[in-house]
Each structure stands twice: as C-alpha cells, then as structure tokens.
C-alpha cells in the first residue's frame, strides 16, 4: 500500500473498494465488539419471527469506510479526527457493498474532510456521512502481507450433516448401558433431533438414576433389562441381527466389551471377512471439506490386509456422507518409498491395490507426509503429482497411536469438532466419549443415520 501525503492531496480525489458481507464477518465483529445482539448473528432469530435476520451491524458497515481512508486515500499514516454516519438502509450477509470516499476540503494541521458513503450493488445508499482525518505528512509504503489472518471457529460441515440427517426416519438404535447421565443424555439429545429412536439396554435402576440426575424424561423409551454389561452388549447385537435395531450406540461400558460381542465369529456382526475400524469425521475450522482420520481407536498395529479394510471402510463412509470421489492419503513420515520404513511400503501397495480395483470407490495414494497430504503448496514443493496429494479427504494413519494423536491434536489444538463411527460391521456403531460436546454427539448420530440410510440422496 502507498499513501498520498497531505501536500499531494487535491479536492475532488476519490477512492472506493468493494466488499462482500459474509456470515464470517458478522461473527468476527460480534467477538471483537462484544455486541452479541442476535439480530446480527447469521443463525439467530433476533425478533422471534422464526427467521434468522443476519443483519450486518451498522457500525461494521460504517467501519468499512475506515478501510478506504486508511489503505487508499490518504492511505497508510492516516489518523481519524471525527466521523459522522447516517444509516439509511441495512445490509445482510451475502450483500455486495461498495464503499466510497471523496475529498471535499483541506484545512490546517493536515486535516482533510471527506464525503463518505456505502451502497449496495443496485446503487442504493445504506450509509452516508462525513469524515475528517489527519493526513500523513510524508510518503509511506506498507506491505500488509504479514498481517495475521483469522479463522472463524464454527462448524458448518457438521451443521450440514445434521440438516441432511434430521429429515430421515429416526434409526432404531440399541443404546448399550446408558447408565450415567452423559451416556443417557447423548442418546436422548439425538432422539430430540429425530436422529435415533433409542432402545435403552442395561440395568433399569441405574438408567432411572441417570435420567433423574439430568431430569431426562425416558417414559417413551423402550427399556431392555440387562444387569451385566456383557449381557447388554449381547442383547444389542441380537437386536441388530433380528432387524429390531439399525445401529448400536456405546453407553457407559468398556469399548472392548461391546466390540468383543460385535466381532464374534458366531452370533456377531462381522460383515464377511472384513475387519472393523473406527473413522473419526472432523469438521476443521477453515477447511472447506470434512476430514476423516482412521484408524484411531480399534486396530493397534494393523497389517497390510487390515489396512486395506480400514481404507475401504473409510471410503464407504465418505460416499454415504456425500463425498463424490473420496481421496484417501496413506500417511507416513515421508512421501517416498523407503524399505526401512514399513508404513511407506504398505502405502505404496495400498495405492496399487486401489489401481487394480482391490480397493474401490475412491482414489488412494501414498506414502504421503502430513503436510503434502493436506496442503497443495507443500505437495507442489515436493514435486508430487497426484489427485490426492494436497486434497485428501481421508487420512489413513500407519497405526492406532498415530491416528489417535492426530485426531486429538486437530480437536484440541485446531478447534476441530469430531464425530465418528465404527465401520465394517453389519450396522454403524456409535462410540462417544465423555469429553464429547453436544454437537459432536449429534454429529456421530447423524453420521450413523446417513450411513444406515445408504447415504446422501
């Protein structure tokens, strides 16, 4: 940016800029100003008419004028003296706004006066006024490239999953041992959103105590008595086999007890010879698509055959969530095959298996390091030519520890929200954690509902 010093300014000079009012702008202004008026929040109904208003705050619109004065005319080095504003219209998220200033007077002490206004794309004004600023004395050039950017921490991808899943019929779900408030509360929350129709399996007295502790009404729920956790898991599996349930949801019991019943060769829910695996589905702020991480919860040190099943399970899930051509990046520490690093050998073989149709429904490439799996610039720097590199929807970890750390890092350091299910069985299995918030629990149930229904229409 280059300024125009006071001595070079002449009456009649003009400058303008065009700015799209985005929903993100409204969130940023709300946080920066402390003005949380729901009239100005994209999804809130501020006046009770049942429709979100999403009106841009007038002071945000007015602030756009300072951007023209501070960046263009007079530009860097300018300081405000006063500003008058008259609001004659409203802007909403999605409106294209043009901000204009015109120099109308020069005064003492480098003070200059501008006519200022903001108009919509149709030319109608929504703000007009007058600004007096102190113009810079000498030329100044400023490179704005180093100004930090902002990422709005909201989770639009999960919102979309909920929108897609809520119209579906509630999936009958065997909830195993919902004997603590958090376990019961997650299931009932999903029921209120019509994602699942919970069948509560466990010790009736403990379920009742959990309901009383959280003031949850379970009078409409079917309760199946099972006073032992293993018996409860067995009952859930039988209900799926008998077509009474279309999904299983973990409550307050050890995961290995539940999955031990699922993977039994006789009377379990194994689907052919495929191994089951867990898929984390993450909504990462700033990322324009869902990101999946697998396997981070079940297979500790998977061999090649198991990894092939893990990849196929993740691709199958991605397809049901509306990803047209899932791209799976097989992770390692490096992006070249190194015989000393087993994960690079496995990755290369998995890629070739996909080429030969042994893994189907998506694109598979590896080995890829984390950076060139998710960042096009990093992939280009390494000279990687691939339809997956820099664009991966699915990150396949070399082992459970790596996958678990990756998912937790994204959740706790990048503010991602995580849901997920166990795939490879005859029905989706919802594993929730006590640390999951409500949105994550709902997302896991929405993922299971979409998967059980066969995917996004």
């Amino acid at each position: 940016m280059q300024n125009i010093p006071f001595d070079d300014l002449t009456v009649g000079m003009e400058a303008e800029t065009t700015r799209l009012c985005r929903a993100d702008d409204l969130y940023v202004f709300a946080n920066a100003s402390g003005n949380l008026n729901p009239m100005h929040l994209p999804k809130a109904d501020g006046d009770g008419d049942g429709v979100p208003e999403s009106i841009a705050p007038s002071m945000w619109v007015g602030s756009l004028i300072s951007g023209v004065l501070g960046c263009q005319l007079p530009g860097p080095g300018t300081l405000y003296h006063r500003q008058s504003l008259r609001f004659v219209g409203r802007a909403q998220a999605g409106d294209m706004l043009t901000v204009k200033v015109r120099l109308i007077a020069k005064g003492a002490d480098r003070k200059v006066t501008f006519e200022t206004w903001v108009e919509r794309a149709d030319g109608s004004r929504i703000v007009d006024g007058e600004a007096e600023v102190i113009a810079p004395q000498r030329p100044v050039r400023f490179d704005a490239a180093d100004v930090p950017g902002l990422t709005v921490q909201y989770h639009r991808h999960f919102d979309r999953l909920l929108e897609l899943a809520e119209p579906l019929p509630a999936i009958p779900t065997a909830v195993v041992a919902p004997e603590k408030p958090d376990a019961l509360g997650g299931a009932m929350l999903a029921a209120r959103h019509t994602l699942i129709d919970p069948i509560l399996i466990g010790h009736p007295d403990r379920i009742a105590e959990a309901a009383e502790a959280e003031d949850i009404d379970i009078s409409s729920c079917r309760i199946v008595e099972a006073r032992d956790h293993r018996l409860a898991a067995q009952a859930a599996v039988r209900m799926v086999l008998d077509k009474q349930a279309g999904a299983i949801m973990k409550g307050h019991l050890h995961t290995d007890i539940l999955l031990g019943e699922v993977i039994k060769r006789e009377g379990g829910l194994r689907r052919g010879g495929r191994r089951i695996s867990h898929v984390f589905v993450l909504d990462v702020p700033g990322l324009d698509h869902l990101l999946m991480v697998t396997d981070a919860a079940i297979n500790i040190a998977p061999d090649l055959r198991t990894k092939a099943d893990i990849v196929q399970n993740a691709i199958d899930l991605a397809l049901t969530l509306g990803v047209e051509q899932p791209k799976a990046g097989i992770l390692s520490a490096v992006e070249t095959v190194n015989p000393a690093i087993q994960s690079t050998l496995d990755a290369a073989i998995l890629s070739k298996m996909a080429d030969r149709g042994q893994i189907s429904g998506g694109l598979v490439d590896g080995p890829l390091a984390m950076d060139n799996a998710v960042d096009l610039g990093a992939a280009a720097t390494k000279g990687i030519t691939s339809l997956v590199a820099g664009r991966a929807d699915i990150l396949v970890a070399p082992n459970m520890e790596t996958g678990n750390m990756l998912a937790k890092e994204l959740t706790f350091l990048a503010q991602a929200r995580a849901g997920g299910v166990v795939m490879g069985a005859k029905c989706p299995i919802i594993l929730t954690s006590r640390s999951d918030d409500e949105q994550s629990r709902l997302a896991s149930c929405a993922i299971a509902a979409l998967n059980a229904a066969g995917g996004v229409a």
Side-chain angles (χ1 to χ4, degrees), residues 71-114:
C71 297
Q72 297 183 51
L73 183 68
T78 300
L79 291 174
Y80 254 112
H81 183 63
R82 61 180 177 84
Q83 170 84 60
S84 66
L85 297 169
R86 187 169 68 96
F87 301 103
V88 295
R90 304 292 179 193
Q92 292 181 295
D95 284 346
M96 187 66 74
L97 305 177
T98 300
V99 188
K100 299 183 179 183
V101 303
R102 180 186 297 120
L103 180 57
I104 58 176
K106 294 180 68 174
D109 301 322
R110 305 202 316 274
K111 290 178 183 175
V112 289
T113 304
F114 289 87

Short mmCIF file of all heavy atoms in Angstrom, two decimals, residues 71-114:
data_model
loop_
_atom_site.label_atom_id
_atom_site.label_comp_id
_atom_site.label_asym_id
_atom_site.label_seq_id
_atom_site.Cartn_x
_atom_site.Cartn_y
_atom_site.Cartn_z
N CYS A 71 -6.22 2.71 3.89
CA CYS A 71 -5.45 1.90 2.95
C CYS A 71 -5.23 2.58 1.59
O CYS A 71 -4.27 2.27 0.89
CB CYS A 71 -6.13 0.56 2.72
SG CYS A 71 -6.25 -0.48 4.19
N GLN A 72 -6.17 3.49 1.21
CA GLN A 72 -6.08 4.05 -0.14
C GLN A 72 -5.91 5.57 -0.15
O GLN A 72 -4.95 6.09 -0.73
CB GLN A 72 -7.35 3.68 -0.93
CG GLN A 72 -7.53 2.19 -1.15
CD GLN A 72 -8.76 1.91 -2.00
OE1 GLN A 72 -8.94 2.48 -3.08
NE2 GLN A 72 -9.62 1.04 -1.50
N LEU A 73 -6.88 6.26 0.43
CA LEU A 73 -6.89 7.73 0.33
C LEU A 73 -7.27 8.34 1.68
O LEU A 73 -8.42 8.16 2.12
CB LEU A 73 -7.89 8.17 -0.75
CG LEU A 73 -8.01 9.67 -1.04
CD1 LEU A 73 -6.71 10.17 -1.68
CD2 LEU A 73 -9.19 9.96 -1.95
N PRO A 74 -6.34 8.96 2.41
CA PRO A 74 -4.94 9.22 2.06
C PRO A 74 -4.04 7.97 2.14
O PRO A 74 -2.96 7.95 1.55
CB PRO A 74 -4.50 10.28 3.07
CG PRO A 74 -5.75 10.88 3.58
CD PRO A 74 -6.77 9.77 3.56
N GLY A 75 -4.45 6.94 2.92
CA GLY A 75 -3.66 5.72 2.99
C GLY A 75 -2.85 5.61 4.26
O GLY A 75 -3.11 6.30 5.26
N PRO A 76 -1.83 4.74 4.28
CA PRO A 76 -1.04 4.48 5.48
C PRO A 76 -0.52 5.76 6.13
O PRO A 76 -0.01 6.65 5.46
CB PRO A 76 0.11 3.62 4.96
CG PRO A 76 -0.47 2.91 3.78
CD PRO A 76 -1.40 3.91 3.14
N GLY A 77 -0.66 5.85 7.44
CA GLY A 77 -0.25 7.02 8.21
C GLY A 77 -1.41 7.93 8.56
O GLY A 77 -1.24 8.90 9.33
N THR A 78 -2.61 7.66 8.03
CA THR A 78 -3.80 8.47 8.30
C THR A 78 -4.33 8.20 9.70
O THR A 78 -4.33 7.06 10.17
CB THR A 78 -4.90 8.17 7.27
OG1 THR A 78 -4.41 8.48 5.96
CG2 THR A 78 -6.16 8.95 7.55
N LEU A 79 -4.80 9.26 10.37
CA LEU A 79 -5.44 9.11 11.68
C LEU A 79 -6.79 9.81 11.65
O LEU A 79 -6.93 10.91 11.09
CB LEU A 79 -4.57 9.73 12.78
CG LEU A 79 -3.26 9.00 13.09
CD1 LEU A 79 -2.45 9.81 14.10
CD2 LEU A 79 -3.53 7.61 13.63
N TYR A 80 -7.78 9.20 12.27
CA TYR A 80 -9.12 9.79 12.33
C TYR A 80 -9.14 11.00 13.27
O TYR A 80 -8.50 11.01 14.32
CB TYR A 80 -10.11 8.76 12.87
CG TYR A 80 -11.05 8.18 11.82
CD1 TYR A 80 -10.95 6.85 11.45
CD2 TYR A 80 -12.04 8.95 11.24
CE1 TYR A 80 -11.81 6.29 10.51
CE2 TYR A 80 -12.91 8.42 10.29
CZ TYR A 80 -12.80 7.08 9.93
OH TYR A 80 -13.65 6.56 9.01
N HIS A 81 -9.94 12.02 12.91
CA HIS A 81 -10.26 13.12 13.81
C HIS A 81 -11.73 13.07 14.21
O HIS A 81 -12.07 13.21 15.38
CB HIS A 81 -9.93 14.47 13.16
CG HIS A 81 -10.16 15.64 14.07
ND1 HIS A 81 -9.46 15.83 15.24
CD2 HIS A 81 -11.03 16.70 13.98
CE1 HIS A 81 -9.88 16.93 15.84
NE2 HIS A 81 -10.84 17.47 15.10
N ARG A 82 -12.60 12.85 13.23
CA ARG A 82 -14.01 12.67 13.54
C ARG A 82 -14.69 11.98 12.36
O ARG A 82 -14.16 11.96 11.24
CB ARG A 82 -14.70 14.00 13.82
CG ARG A 82 -14.68 14.98 12.67
CD ARG A 82 -15.39 16.29 12.99
NE ARG A 82 -15.29 17.23 11.89
CZ ARG A 82 -16.11 17.25 10.84
NH1 ARG A 82 -17.10 16.36 10.76
NH2 ARG A 82 -15.95 18.13 9.87
N GLN A 83 -15.86 11.40 12.63
CA GLN A 83 -16.65 10.75 11.58
C GLN A 83 -18.13 10.88 11.94
O GLN A 83 -18.53 10.57 13.07
CB GLN A 83 -16.29 9.26 11.47
CG GLN A 83 -17.20 8.42 10.58
CD GLN A 83 -16.83 8.48 9.11
OE1 GLN A 83 -15.74 8.11 8.73
NE2 GLN A 83 -17.75 8.98 8.28
N SER A 84 -18.93 11.33 11.00
CA SER A 84 -20.38 11.32 11.18
C SER A 84 -20.97 10.25 10.26
O SER A 84 -20.47 10.03 9.14
CB SER A 84 -21.00 12.69 10.84
OG SER A 84 -20.84 12.98 9.47
N LEU A 85 -21.99 9.56 10.73
CA LEU A 85 -22.63 8.49 9.96
C LEU A 85 -24.14 8.62 10.06
O LEU A 85 -24.68 8.89 11.14
CB LEU A 85 -22.21 7.10 10.50
CG LEU A 85 -20.72 6.74 10.40
CD1 LEU A 85 -20.45 5.48 11.21
CD2 LEU A 85 -20.30 6.54 8.94
N ARG A 86 -24.80 8.42 8.95
CA ARG A 86 -26.26 8.37 8.94
C ARG A 86 -26.66 7.07 8.24
O ARG A 86 -26.32 6.85 7.08
CB ARG A 86 -26.85 9.58 8.20
CG ARG A 86 -28.37 9.68 8.29
CD ARG A 86 -28.83 11.04 7.77
NE ARG A 86 -28.61 11.17 6.34
CZ ARG A 86 -29.55 10.93 5.40
NH1 ARG A 86 -30.76 10.56 5.77
NH2 ARG A 86 -29.28 11.09 4.13
N PHE A 87 -27.38 6.23 8.98
CA PHE A 87 -27.73 4.92 8.46
C PHE A 87 -29.11 4.99 7.82
O PHE A 87 -30.12 5.21 8.51
CB PHE A 87 -27.69 3.88 9.58
CG PHE A 87 -26.33 3.78 10.24
CD1 PHE A 87 -26.09 4.36 11.48
CD2 PHE A 87 -25.29 3.15 9.61
CE1 PHE A 87 -24.86 4.30 12.07
CE2 PHE A 87 -24.04 3.06 10.19
CZ PHE A 87 -23.82 3.64 11.43
N VAL A 88 -29.16 4.80 6.52
CA VAL A 88 -30.41 4.96 5.78
C VAL A 88 -30.90 3.63 5.18
O VAL A 88 -31.89 3.61 4.47
CB VAL A 88 -30.25 6.01 4.66
CG1 VAL A 88 -29.99 7.37 5.26
CG2 VAL A 88 -29.10 5.63 3.70
N GLY A 89 -30.20 2.56 5.46
CA GLY A 89 -30.59 1.24 4.97
C GLY A 89 -29.85 0.17 5.73
O GLY A 89 -29.09 0.45 6.66
N ARG A 90 -30.08 -1.10 5.38
CA ARG A 90 -29.46 -2.22 6.07
C ARG A 90 -28.76 -3.12 5.06
O ARG A 90 -29.16 -3.23 3.91
CB ARG A 90 -30.51 -3.05 6.83
CG ARG A 90 -31.34 -2.27 7.82
CD ARG A 90 -30.52 -1.80 9.00
NE ARG A 90 -31.34 -1.02 9.93
CZ ARG A 90 -30.84 -0.29 10.91
NH1 ARG A 90 -29.54 -0.21 11.10
NH2 ARG A 90 -31.65 0.39 11.71
N ALA A 91 -27.73 -3.78 5.54
CA ALA A 91 -27.05 -4.81 4.75
C ALA A 91 -27.21 -6.14 5.45
O ALA A 91 -27.38 -6.19 6.68
CB ALA A 91 -25.57 -4.47 4.58
N GLN A 92 -27.16 -7.20 4.68
CA GLN A 92 -27.25 -8.54 5.23
C GLN A 92 -26.11 -9.40 4.67
O GLN A 92 -25.50 -9.05 3.65
CB GLN A 92 -28.60 -9.18 4.89
CG GLN A 92 -29.78 -8.52 5.60
CD GLN A 92 -31.08 -9.20 5.25
OE1 GLN A 92 -31.50 -9.17 4.10
NE2 GLN A 92 -31.72 -9.79 6.24
N ALA A 93 -25.85 -10.50 5.35
CA ALA A 93 -24.84 -11.43 4.85
C ALA A 93 -25.21 -11.83 3.42
O ALA A 93 -26.35 -12.19 3.14
CB ALA A 93 -24.76 -12.66 5.75
N GLY A 94 -24.24 -11.75 2.53
CA GLY A 94 -24.47 -12.04 1.12
C GLY A 94 -24.53 -10.82 0.25
O GLY A 94 -24.43 -10.92 -0.98
N ASP A 95 -24.70 -9.63 0.85
CA ASP A 95 -24.76 -8.39 0.07
C ASP A 95 -23.35 -7.96 -0.38
O ASP A 95 -22.39 -8.04 0.39
CB ASP A 95 -25.37 -7.25 0.89
CG ASP A 95 -26.88 -7.37 1.02
OD1 ASP A 95 -27.47 -8.17 0.27
OD2 ASP A 95 -27.46 -6.66 1.86
N MET A 96 -23.26 -7.49 -1.62
CA MET A 96 -22.02 -6.89 -2.12
C MET A 96 -22.11 -5.38 -1.88
O MET A 96 -23.05 -4.73 -2.36
CB MET A 96 -21.83 -7.18 -3.60
CG MET A 96 -20.49 -6.73 -4.14
SD MET A 96 -19.09 -7.66 -3.42
CE MET A 96 -19.27 -9.22 -4.28
N LEU A 97 -21.15 -4.84 -1.14
CA LEU A 97 -21.17 -3.43 -0.75
C LEU A 97 -20.02 -2.68 -1.41
O LEU A 97 -18.91 -3.20 -1.51
CB LEU A 97 -21.07 -3.30 0.77
CG LEU A 97 -22.12 -4.06 1.59
CD1 LEU A 97 -21.84 -3.89 3.08
CD2 LEU A 97 -23.52 -3.58 1.25
N THR A 98 -20.30 -1.47 -1.84
CA THR A 98 -19.26 -0.59 -2.38
C THR A 98 -19.10 0.60 -1.45
O THR A 98 -20.09 1.26 -1.08
CB THR A 98 -19.62 -0.10 -3.79
OG1 THR A 98 -19.76 -1.22 -4.66
CG2 THR A 98 -18.54 0.82 -4.34
N VAL A 99 -17.87 0.86 -1.03
CA VAL A 99 -17.55 1.92 -0.08
C VAL A 99 -16.79 3.01 -0.84
O VAL A 99 -15.80 2.72 -1.52
CB VAL A 99 -16.68 1.37 1.08
CG1 VAL A 99 -16.52 2.43 2.16
CG2 VAL A 99 -17.27 0.09 1.65
N LYS A 100 -17.25 4.26 -0.73
CA LYS A 100 -16.66 5.36 -1.50
C LYS A 100 -16.34 6.55 -0.60
O LYS A 100 -17.06 6.81 0.37
CB LYS A 100 -17.61 5.81 -2.61
CG LYS A 100 -17.93 4.71 -3.63
CD LYS A 100 -18.83 5.24 -4.74
CE LYS A 100 -19.12 4.15 -5.77
NZ LYS A 100 -19.93 4.64 -6.90
N VAL A 101 -15.26 7.24 -0.94
CA VAL A 101 -14.91 8.49 -0.26
C VAL A 101 -14.52 9.51 -1.32
O VAL A 101 -13.97 9.17 -2.37
CB VAL A 101 -13.76 8.30 0.76
CG1 VAL A 101 -14.12 7.25 1.79
CG2 VAL A 101 -12.45 7.95 0.07
N ARG A 102 -14.83 10.80 -1.02
CA ARG A 102 -14.47 11.90 -1.93
C ARG A 102 -13.93 13.06 -1.10
O ARG A 102 -14.58 13.51 -0.16
CB ARG A 102 -15.68 12.35 -2.74
CG ARG A 102 -15.35 13.51 -3.72
CD ARG A 102 -16.61 14.05 -4.40
NE ARG A 102 -17.23 13.02 -5.24
CZ ARG A 102 -18.47 12.58 -5.07
NH1 ARG A 102 -19.23 13.07 -4.08
NH2 ARG A 102 -18.98 11.67 -5.88
N LEU A 103 -12.74 13.53 -1.44
CA LEU A 103 -12.12 14.64 -0.72
C LEU A 103 -12.86 15.94 -1.06
O LEU A 103 -12.98 16.32 -2.23
CB LEU A 103 -10.65 14.76 -1.11
CG LEU A 103 -9.83 15.87 -0.46
CD1 LEU A 103 -9.85 15.75 1.06
CD2 LEU A 103 -8.39 15.84 -0.98
N ILE A 104 -13.36 16.63 0.00
CA ILE A 104 -14.14 17.86 -0.24
C ILE A 104 -13.49 19.10 0.36
O ILE A 104 -13.90 20.23 0.01
CB ILE A 104 -15.58 17.72 0.28
CG1 ILE A 104 -15.59 17.39 1.79
CG2 ILE A 104 -16.33 16.65 -0.50
CD1 ILE A 104 -17.00 17.33 2.39
N ALA A 105 -12.50 18.95 1.24
CA ALA A 105 -11.86 20.15 1.82
C ALA A 105 -10.52 19.80 2.44
O ALA A 105 -10.32 18.70 2.95
CB ALA A 105 -12.78 20.78 2.88
N LYS A 106 -9.58 20.77 2.39
CA LYS A 106 -8.30 20.67 3.09
C LYS A 106 -8.22 21.82 4.08
O LYS A 106 -8.60 22.95 3.76
CB LYS A 106 -7.13 20.75 2.09
CG LYS A 106 -7.05 19.59 1.13
CD LYS A 106 -5.85 19.74 0.18
CE LYS A 106 -4.53 19.60 0.90
NZ LYS A 106 -3.37 19.60 -0.02
N GLY A 107 -7.73 21.52 5.29
CA GLY A 107 -7.65 22.54 6.31
C GLY A 107 -6.29 22.60 6.96
O GLY A 107 -5.31 22.04 6.45
N ALA A 108 -6.23 23.31 8.10
CA ALA A 108 -4.98 23.45 8.84
C ALA A 108 -4.60 22.15 9.53
O ALA A 108 -5.43 21.26 9.73
CB ALA A 108 -5.12 24.58 9.86
N ASP A 109 -3.32 22.09 9.92
CA ASP A 109 -2.80 20.95 10.68
C ASP A 109 -3.03 19.62 9.96
O ASP A 109 -3.28 18.58 10.58
CB ASP A 109 -3.44 20.90 12.08
CG ASP A 109 -3.20 22.16 12.89
OD1 ASP A 109 -2.07 22.71 12.79
OD2 ASP A 109 -4.13 22.60 13.58
N ARG A 110 -2.93 19.65 8.64
CA ARG A 110 -3.06 18.46 7.77
C ARG A 110 -4.43 17.78 7.90
O ARG A 110 -4.57 16.60 7.58
CB ARG A 110 -1.96 17.43 8.05
CG ARG A 110 -0.53 17.96 7.95
CD ARG A 110 0.49 16.86 7.70
NE ARG A 110 0.31 15.68 8.50
CZ ARG A 110 0.79 15.51 9.73
NH1 ARG A 110 1.46 16.51 10.32
NH2 ARG A 110 0.61 14.38 10.38
N LYS A 111 -5.44 18.52 8.33
CA LYS A 111 -6.78 17.94 8.42
C LYS A 111 -7.49 18.05 7.07
O LYS A 111 -7.48 19.11 6.43
CB LYS A 111 -7.60 18.64 9.50
CG LYS A 111 -7.12 18.33 10.91
CD LYS A 111 -7.91 19.08 11.96
CE LYS A 111 -7.35 18.79 13.36
NZ LYS A 111 -8.04 19.61 14.39
N VAL A 112 -8.06 16.93 6.65
CA VAL A 112 -8.78 16.90 5.38
C VAL A 112 -10.15 16.27 5.62
O VAL A 112 -10.32 15.41 6.49
CB VAL A 112 -8.01 16.10 4.31
CG1 VAL A 112 -6.79 16.86 3.85
CG2 VAL A 112 -7.61 14.73 4.82
N THR A 113 -11.13 16.72 4.84
CA THR A 113 -12.51 16.28 5.03
C THR A 113 -12.99 15.51 3.80
O THR A 113 -12.74 15.93 2.66
CB THR A 113 -13.44 17.48 5.27
OG1 THR A 113 -12.94 18.24 6.39
CG2 THR A 113 -14.86 17.02 5.58
N PHE A 114 -13.66 14.40 4.07
CA PHE A 114 -14.16 13.55 3.00
C PHE A 114 -15.66 13.36 3.13
O PHE A 114 -16.20 13.20 4.24
CB PHE A 114 -13.52 12.15 3.07
CG PHE A 114 -12.07 12.11 2.68
CD1 PHE A 114 -11.08 12.34 3.62
CD2 PHE A 114 -11.71 11.83 1.37
CE1 PHE A 114 -9.74 12.30 3.27
CE2 PHE A 114 -10.36 11.78 1.02
CZ PHE A 114 -9.38 12.02 1.96
#
